[in-house]
Amino acid sequence: MESIRHLALGCCVVSTAAGLLRVFWPDNGYKPVINAVLMLYIITAVWQFARTADWQGVVGQLQNFSAAAKTDYEPYAQSLAEQVSAQAVREILQQNGIEAAVSLRDGTLYVTPARPADAPRVRGLLQENCGSLPYTVQSGGDAP
């Protein structure tokens, strides 16, 4: 295989010389020969690479790359999901006529109703709508 590759390289050098000759003597017919030899060299180089490449190593690197990319975005996606959930809780409370402060800290939703009498309704709505998002209903509202 190596000797074929060296032979193709030699033909490529000869074709390059013929190409330079064509620059100074444009009426010759070396163009198809030059293209054929260059194609032969490219094919043998690709074939040699394909036979000697470490395909298992390439596959391993691609798997490591995909695993690293997956873990890099996971916390960000979780944070976005929690923010969307907090916004949905705000909207549900507003739709039910409940004024409350809603905040998200460390993955837990903290809800403080403006009126202490709304706390049982808030707990019921959160129980129905929060799913797996942890929540805490805080007292502290003093609105009439």
Side-chain angles (χ1 to χ4, degrees):
M1 182 64 193
E2 194 69 27
S3 61
I4 293 174
R5 194 165 157 222
H6 287 301
L7 181 65
L9 178 61
C11 290
C12 185
V13 170
V14 170
S15 296
T16 303
L20 290 173
L21 179 65
R22 186 167 185 253
V23 170
F24 299 108
W25 184 26
D27 294 334
N28 66 22
Y30 289 126
K31 185 176 180 181
V33 175
I34 292 169
N35 289 340
V37 171
L38 287 174
M39 184 57 72
L40 175 66
Y41 183 71
I42 290 169
I43 288 172
T44 57
V46 168
W47 186 20
Q48 181 72 18
F49 171 74
R51 285 187 44 208
T52 61
D54 179 22
W55 294 110
Q56 298 298 332
V58 170
V59 168
Q61 287 178 349
L62 290 175
Q63 287 175 345
N64 289 342
F65 177 71
S66 84
K70 181 180 178 183
T71 57
D72 287 344
Y73 293 111
E74 228 169 87
Y76 179 66
Q78 180 68 26
S79 171
L80 285 179
E82 289 172 352
Q83 290 173 10
V84 168
S85 296
Q87 183 59 34
V89 167
R90 283 185 194 98
E91 291 175 8
I92 289 170
L93 293 173
Q94 286 176 354
Q95 288 172 357
N96 286 288
I98 298 173
E99 293 180 43
V102 179
S103 63
L104 183 65
R105 286 176 276 154
D106 299 326
T108 302
L109 192 66
Y110 293 93
V111 180
T112 307
R115 290 181 285 284
D118 288 338
R121 285 183 51 209
V122 168
R123 281 189 186 88
L125 287 170
L126 292 176
Q127 195 171 20
E128 290 174 14
N129 297 298
C130 273
S132 63
L133 181 65
Y135 61 88
T136 301
V137 178
Q138 299 175 328
S139 61
D142 56 4

